[in-house]
Amino acid sequence: FAVPAERYITVHTGNGKFDSRTYDYWQDTVDFLNKFLHPEDIKIVQVGSSEDKNIQNVICLNGKTSIAQTAYVIKNSLCHVGIDSFPIHLASHYGKKIVALYSNAPAQNSAPYWSNGPDVALLESDKNGDRPTYSKSEIPKTINTIFPDVITSSTCGLLNIKFDYNYKMIFLGKQYKQTIIEYVPDTLTSLPEMNPLVVRMDLHFSEENLLPVFKNNKFIIVTDR
């Protein structure tokens, strides 16, 4: 299979059928990874089925490869990053470096079988002292307690790339993955539909400019008047 990159890592997100293994911050993770991989001329290739959610800013092969072709793509990668699923074990068979995310089941149950310890980073979710659920769905979903910076630093470590980042993520709220647009109504405009829209009337109070926005949006008004 012709991959349009000579040096690349593979990423597998899954198709979402197991919600407990569906990581909500893949886009943040690959965007973070690209900051460190791009200077090294390393691309990110997404592998998976046509049912998998496509990530932006990657070479997306979802639904474009057979199992054999997927194996070939993984075999020629520098590292594989993904959830606890079949591609993890393909990567292990080929002796690839692996960053694996575990949530509803512990890593000891399905760790990459053929891999050597130094070649893998097994990232388990924070269950707050509870035992693994082994459930198709979790409330709360623990896999989201694995932060994008941890996945990125683990990948860079396996690739011997300096992780030059002086901050640490300590908390991600429920609305972290939700894009929120704030609008300051200092000009008369007709905005396209953007929900939710936060109108900052505390920064510029104009009822006249606010009226056209009512036509397309549901929104929250922040005001001191």
Side-chain angles (χ1 to χ4, degrees), residues 175-181 195-197:
Q175 290 186 319
Y176 173 79
K177 64 179 180 178
Q178 183 175 351
T179 300
I180 298 175
I181 306 297
N195 294 317
L197 181 69

Side-chain angles (χ1 to χ4, degrees), residues 72-140:
Y72 176 83
V73 172
I74 292 175
K75 178 182 178 181
N76 289 280
S77 69
L78 300 175
C79 177
H80 179 76
V81 182
I83 61 169
D84 175 19
S85 189
F86 177 63
I88 287 286
H89 302 288
L90 269 180
S92 178
H93 168 71
Y94 290 118
K96 312 310 296 184
K97 297 182 184 299
I98 298 170
V99 177
L101 281 62
Y102 293 88
S103 55
N104 65 329
Q108 66 183 22
N109 284 20
S110 55
Y113 183 80
W114 296 280
S115 298
N116 296 318
D119 292 333
V120 299
L122 307 181
L123 308 180
E124 296 197 57
S125 62
D126 182 2
K127 300 172 181 61
N128 196 27
D130 294 334
R131 295 180 179 181
T133 62
Y134 299 98
S135 175
K136 190 174 182 179
S137 61
E138 290 182 332
I139 301 175

